[in-house]
Amino acid sequence: MIVRIMGEGQTEIAPSDLDVLNALDGELEAAIEAGDEETFRSRLHDLLDKVRHVGRALPDDSLEPSELILPPADASMEEVREMLGDEGLIPG
Amino acid sequence: MSVMKRLSLIFRSKANNALDKMEDPRETLDYSYQRQLELLQKVRRGVADVATSRKRVELQINQIEAQSRKLEEQGRKALGVGREDLAREALTRRSSLQTQIADLRVQHDNLQGEEEKLTTASHRLQAKVDSFRTRKETIKATYTAAEAQTRINEAFSGISEEMGDVGLAIQRAEDKTASMQARAGAIDELLASGALDDFSGQRGDDIQAELDRMGGGHDVELEIARMKAELGQGSAPKSAIESGAPQPQQQPQQSPQTQQYRQPGEGL
C-alpha cells in the first residue's frame, strides 16, 4: 500500500503495518475534533514517524497514486481542518 | 472516516474532475503535461524567491551585527575614559539589537527550511514530469481507446497527486515568505534611516557624539604637544612619528622619546 506524506513524497508500507497506522490516525482525528493542538501535533508526528520507519521510499519518478495521504509535518491543526473541508487547500 | 483516507479521497476527486473534463484522453495528456511544466516553473521561481528573502535576512543580520559591535566598542571606549553612564547606555542599546538579531536568525532558519523543502519538491516533480512525458508519448503512439484509458488514468492520477502536493508546498512557502518580506522591508527602512541604532527611542548616535567630543579634547592636547615639539619646547608625540607625520627640520637634541601626553583611552 502506498502512503504519501505531503511535502516528503511516497512510501510503500506492508499491509501488516496498517493496523497501527489506523490506530494513530484515529487518535489524530480525535485530537482535531477536540480542538487540541498539542495532542494533534504529537499524534501527527507519531504517525509520520511510524510511516517513515516502516515504509520504503518510492523512487521520485514513479507515477503511482497513493491510497493514503498524510498532512505535512509542519501543518497546523487549522490547516489540516481546511484541507479536509469543502473548500480544501489542495490546488489543482 | 480517518484523516489519511479523507485526504486521499480529496486528491483523487480532483484528479477525476480534471479527467472528466476531457473528451479525448490524448488531449488530457497534453494539457496535463503543459500544466506540469507551468507548475515546475512556478516552483523554481518559488525557490528563487525564498532564496532571495533568505539572503536579504542574512544581509540584515550582518548589518545589525556590525552596529552591535560598534556599540560594544563604544561601551568599552566609554569605560576606558571613565564614563560608566555612557557605557551602560551603549550596552543597553546593544542588548536590544541582540534581540533583533535573534528574531532574524529564527526567520533565517525558517526560510532556509522552506528553501530546502521546495528544492526537494522541485527535484521530485521534475523526475515525475519526465516520467509522465515518456509514458504519455508511449500511450499516444500505441493509442486505442480501450487499452489506453486505464494507463492514462494511472499515469494521470499519479502526476496529479504530485502536482497537488507540490502546489500546496509552494502556496505555503509563498504565504510564509510574504509575511517575512513585510517584516524585512520594515527593517530595511529602519536600517536605511539609521533608526535601528536607536531602539531605546533616543535620538541619533549621541554616544559617539559624546566620545567624539571627549576624543576631540585629546586631539587638541596632541596638537599642542606636537607644536611644542616643533618649537623645541618638548618632545614630539610618538604617534606623530609613527604615523609618518612631517618632522621638523631641527629636532631637539637627544630628546628622549618619552610621552608627555596621555594616549586616548588612558583617562582624562
Side-chain angles (χ1 to χ4, degrees):
Chain A
M1 171 175 285
I2 294 169
V3 180
R4 171 181 295 275
I5 298 176
M6 291 176 72
E8 291 180 35
Q10 295 169 293
T11 57
E12 191 164 15
I13 56 163
S16 53
D17 292 314
L18 200 57
D19 284 347
V20 69
L21 294 183
N22 274 329
L24 288 167
D25 189 29
E27 289 173 24
L28 178 70
E29 195 179 21
I32 294 173
E33 280 168 11
D36 183 346
E37 179 87 41
E38 204 172 319
T39 307
F40 161 82
R41 182 135 316 282
S42 121
R43 293 297 172 274
L44 176 62
H45 285 181
D46 289 348
L47 184 52
L48 298 180
D49 287 345
K50 189 71 187 171
V51 170
R52 290 184 197 116
H53 179 68
V54 301
R56 183 186 60 83
L58 253 63
D60 282 351
D61 61 355
S62 72
L63 283 171
E64 307 290 330
S66 308
E67 284 181 65
L68 299 171
I69 295 180
L70 284 165
D74 61 347
S76 68
M77 193 169 67
E78 195 48 45
E79 261 186 313
V80 174
R81 270 213 187 102
E82 283 181 49
M83 281 182 207
L84 298 170
D86 290 337
E87 293 302 306
L89 274 181
I90 298 130
Chain B
M1 198 192 293
S2 79
V3 175
M4 305 191 282
K5 287 196 181 78
R6 274 157 71 190
L7 269 180
S8 60
L9 277 178
I10 289 165
F11 271 92
R12 208 167 299 154
S13 70
K14 282 181 184 287
N16 289 341
N17 287 346
L19 271 171
D20 290 346
K21 284 177 189 165
M22 300 293 169
E23 287 182 8
D24 183 344
R26 286 169 295 183
E27 200 181 306
T28 310
L29 295 172
D30 286 332
Y31 170 74
S32 172
Y33 183 64
Q34 285 309 314
R35 286 205 44 220
Q36 289 161 35
L37 294 179
E38 284 166 21
L39 180 60
L40 257 178
Q41 281 301 318
K42 196 177 173 190
V43 174
R44 288 194 186 120
R45 272 201 307 274
V47 174
D49 286 349
V50 174
T52 304
S53 296
R54 177 183 53 79
K55 283 176 188 156
R56 187 176 180 185
V57 170
E58 269 172 25
L59 192 68
Q60 289 179 337
I61 290 172
N62 292 342
Q63 285 174 295
I64 297 174
E65 273 179 340
Q67 289 188 348
S68 175
R69 281 194 298 272
K70 181 178 156 191
L71 281 165
E72 188 182 359
E73 192 51 44
Q74 286 177 338
R76 195 173 285 118
K77 209 169 174 180
L79 266 182
V81 294
R83 287 292 306 272
E84 197 175 323
D85 59 325
L86 265 185
R88 196 173 299 282
E89 178 61 30
L91 294 177
T92 304
R93 293 184 195 180
R94 179 175 172 266
S95 166
S96 59
L97 288 186
Q98 291 294 334
T99 308
Q100 282 287 328
I101 290 168
D103 287 351
L104 284 170
R105 283 199 195 287
V106 170
Q107 282 200 40
H108 179 268
D109 292 349
N110 285 338
L111 285 168
Q112 200 156 33
E114 288 303 316
E115 193 180 342
E116 282 163 12
K117 271 193 276 184
L118 282 183
T119 304
T120 306
S122 166
H123 291 158
R124 219 174 56 214
L125 184 62
Q126 177 70 66
K128 276 195 162 58
V129 169
D130 291 346
S131 169
F132 182 86
R133 187 188 58 229
T134 308
R135 211 177 289 195
K136 165 175 91 83
E137 291 310 320
T138 310
I139 292 169
K140 280 170 73 177
T142 61
Y143 182 79
T144 63
E147 77 174 60
Q149 193 62 56
T150 310
R151 292 161 64 200
I152 288 172
N153 286 359
E154 281 171 8
F156 187 84
S157 297
I159 192 76
S160 168
E161 183 187 307
E162 186 68 35
M163 284 169 70
D165 185 2
V166 172
L168 183 65
I170 191 87
Q171 198 173 298
R172 294 171 93 230
E174 279 172 356
D175 291 348
K176 286 181 188 178
T177 310
S179 64
M180 289 182 186
Q181 286 277 24
R183 194 184 141 87
I187 290 177
D188 277 344
E189 281 178 32
L190 285 171
L191 283 163
S193 67
L196 209 50
D197 262 329
D198 191 19
F199 276 109
S200 54
Q202 298 185 18
R203 71 186 160 72
D205 195 352
D206 45 352
I207 294 174
Q208 192 59 48
E210 181 75 3
L211 285 167
D212 287 349
R213 192 182 59 74
M214 294 166 77
H218 276 297
D219 290 345
V220 170
E221 292 301 319
L222 272 172
E223 203 56 39
I224 286 171
R226 190 174 289 118
M227 283 177 179
K228 278 182 176 175
E230 283 174 13
L231 294 167
Q233 295 173 11
S235 59
K238 198 174 184 178
S239 60
I241 295 168
E242 285 170 354
S243 65
Q247 294 303 302
Q249 293 287 327
Q250 291 183 319
Q251 288 290 343
Q253 287 185 353
Q254 303 297 317
S255 73
Q257 295 296 317
T258 50
Q259 291 185 338
Q260 306 267 320
Y261 63 95
R262 288 176 178 167
Q263 289 281 19
E266 276 183 4
L268 292 170

